[in-house]
Amino acid sequence: MWNDNAFTRNVNIRYPIVQAGMAGGITTPELVSAVSNNGGLGMLGAGYLQPEQMQEAIRRIKEKVVHPFGVNLFVPENPTASQEEIDQANKQLEPYRKELNITKELDPQPSSIDLFENQLDIVLEEKVPVCSFTFGIPSKETIDLLKKNGITVIGTATTVDEALLNQERGMDMVVVQGSEAGGHRGTFSGPLEETMIGTMALVPQVVDHIRIPVIASGGIMDGRGVLAAFALGADAAQMGTAFVTSEESGAHFKHKEAILNSSEKAPVVTSAFSGKPARGINNAFIRNMKHHHDSFLPYPLQHTLTKKIRAEAANQQMTEWMSLWCGQGPRLSRNSPVRTIISDIISQVETQRNLLR
């Protein structure tokens, strides 16, 4: 059977389909549990959640789910910026704050290592079956601790070298993120221009150089994409944008509308919203801020500065100033229940396999 492999046996799920751990409220307990209960691996995007919020979400998922699920965490980054750099970044954002009636400028503070450690404590306390990481690799001690407690650990890589680093550190599996993927790039080693490798080129090269299972990610939207991932040697396929427009997704309805009415030409890579390259639908904020690229603060400082702008833009339904994360396959998106999306993926995989025999 195509769905009986190292990934499904390790995680103990029926289908090698992973719902990407998208942070920012998209991965509601309803979405995560629906994916897991329909045979895939639902993932809570907990990168921005405080420990108590994360624990509450996990417990809500446990009330709804009967199969394994996971949590995705951000490996902390703690850059610094001078007051002059902060003032310059605030100056570029002032017109947006004024238009949205946001009166207070922000003094961004680096994310605390304590937050990450507290999040890990919750993962251990709640005995979450799977924990994945992006934006870097946690310490070997952290990975070993999770594994000793029976938790499957998954890393993220955008190059062969990053995949090898994940394997050397002890990850059980690795998500290989092609350049087509929506949302933030998981790159942690090397400049963006050297890591924008397409899924079709990247996955087989990683498969040939590492021993741990590979989860293909980037532009996979339906059964054809899932089957292609297996043909390239992957053990599973991770899908993000495909689930953003699902009925159970917590994405803002304007975000869903933007994806459903978009085309393959619309998603671009920008650092304007967070200071870290991410793919989303091109809009006025991205176009205007492009001229100020040199004044963007590093992630997560820029993210902190634009947080209220993005939130208030969503409240006022101003899509031109929202972060509309989306991969390069928006024409394949559907506003359907998760059970329909997954059942159609499975049906398409099996139909295409029969045609290729």
Side-chain angles (χ1 to χ4, degrees):
M1 292 292 289
W2 68 272
N3 56 314
D4 181 16
N5 62 22
F7 175 81
T8 53
R9 288 193 294 272
N10 184 303
V11 183
N12 194 29
I13 60 175
R14 186 173 183 184
Y15 299 115
I17 295 172
V18 182
Q19 163 247 305
M22 300 166 284
I26 293 175
T27 55
T28 60
E30 290 74 22
L31 173 58
V32 175
S33 57
V35 172
S36 287
N37 287 338
N38 282 279
L41 180 65
M43 298 289 294
L44 173 68
Y48 300 132
L49 296 180
Q50 292 299 312
E52 58 273 15
Q53 295 173 313
M54 178 178 157
Q55 187 163 45
E56 179 184 358
I58 290 171
R59 290 179 176 178
R60 285 178 58 197
I61 292 168
K62 286 182 172 181
E63 292 173 355
K64 300 172 180 293
V65 78
V66 294
H67 297 290
F69 69 97
V71 167
N72 176 261
L73 299 179
F74 295 163
V75 177
E77 301 173 62
N78 293 281
T80 59
S82 68
Q83 190 58 51
E84 181 181 358
E85 290 171 325
I86 293 171
D87 291 343
Q88 179 65 16
N90 270 316
K91 181 180 178 181
Q92 306 302 341
L93 295 169
E94 185 55 32
Y96 302 97
R97 295 197 183 103
K98 184 176 181 180
E99 182 69 22
L100 294 166
N101 293 316
I102 300 171
T103 57
K104 185 179 180 182
E105 287 189 357
L106 296 176
D107 184 11
Q109 298 296 325
S111 61
S112 172
I113 188 67
D114 290 339
L115 172 62
F116 181 66
E117 297 296 338
N118 291 337
Q119 289 174 329
L120 288 171
D121 288 342
I122 298 299
V123 170
L124 290 164
E125 180 183 341
E126 295 294 333
K127 297 181 173 59
V128 176
V130 178
C131 188
S132 68
F133 300 90
T134 191
F135 303 165
I137 310 176
S139 68
K140 191 174 189 312
E141 291 74 20
T142 294
I143 293 172
D144 289 345
L145 177 62
L146 292 169
K147 293 172 71 169
K148 285 177 183 176
N149 281 269
I151 298 171
T152 298
V153 289
I154 303 175
T156 301
T158 60
T159 64
V160 173
D161 287 343
E162 288 183 346
L164 286 166
L165 289 172
N166 273 276
Q167 177 176 270
E168 291 168 7
R169 192 66 64 86
M171 289 292 182
D172 291 313
M173 309 173 186
V174 64
V175 171
V176 175
Q177 185 192 44
S179 59
E180 302 94 326
H184 285 99
R185 301 294 299 152
T187 302
F188 61 90
S189 175
L192 176 68
E193 57 269 20
E194 294 179 5
T195 62
M196 291 295 286
I197 306 155
T199 305
M200 182 163 283
L202 181 60
V203 170
Q205 294 184 83
V206 172
V207 168
D208 284 354
H209 283 82
I210 67 173
R211 301 179 304 277
I212 59 176
V214 167
I215 303 166
S217 173
I220 301 172
M221 295 291 293
D222 59 16
R224 292 170 296 183
V226 171
L227 189 58
F230 295 137
L232 296 173
D235 291 276
Q238 177 169 285
M239 308 169 77
T241 305
F243 289 110
V244 173
T245 56
S246 68
E247 290 184 2
E248 294 88 346
S249 161
H252 192 282
F253 78 96
K254 283 293 185 180
H255 187 175
K256 293 183 181 183
E257 283 183 2
I259 294 175
L260 292 167
N261 292 292
S262 188
S263 75
E264 70 283 357
K265 297 179 290 184
V268 297
V269 176
T270 180
S271 299
F273 289 107
S274 69
K276 181 181 288 292
R279 188 179 293 283
I281 296 173
N282 203 0
N283 59 14
F285 188 89
I286 294 173
R287 290 190 295 271
N288 295 340
M289 290 295 290
K290 186 176 182 180
H291 305 295
H292 308 299
H293 184 272
D294 291 342
S295 65
F296 295 167
L297 299 182
Y299 176 88
L301 305 183
Q302 183 79 6
H303 165 81
T304 302
L305 288 188
T306 67
K307 185 176 181 179
K308 286 189 176 180
I309 292 172
R310 289 176 282 122
E312 190 55 37
N315 288 338
Q316 298 185 29
Q317 299 181 26
M318 296 177 64
T319 54
E320 288 298 320
W321 293 357
M322 293 169 59
S323 51
L324 307 169
W325 304 138
C326 175
Q328 288 188 313
R331 292 183 192 264
L332 302 174
S333 293
R334 300 159 57 196
N335 180 219
S336 302
V338 165
R339 66 177 182 277
T340 301
I341 293 173
I342 292 182
S343 66
D344 287 351
I345 289 170
I346 303 311
S347 176
Q348 197 170 31
V349 168
E350 293 176 348
T351 298
Q352 292 296 318
R353 287 182 73 247
N354 289 333
L355 291 174
L356 292 173
R357 286 175 178 170

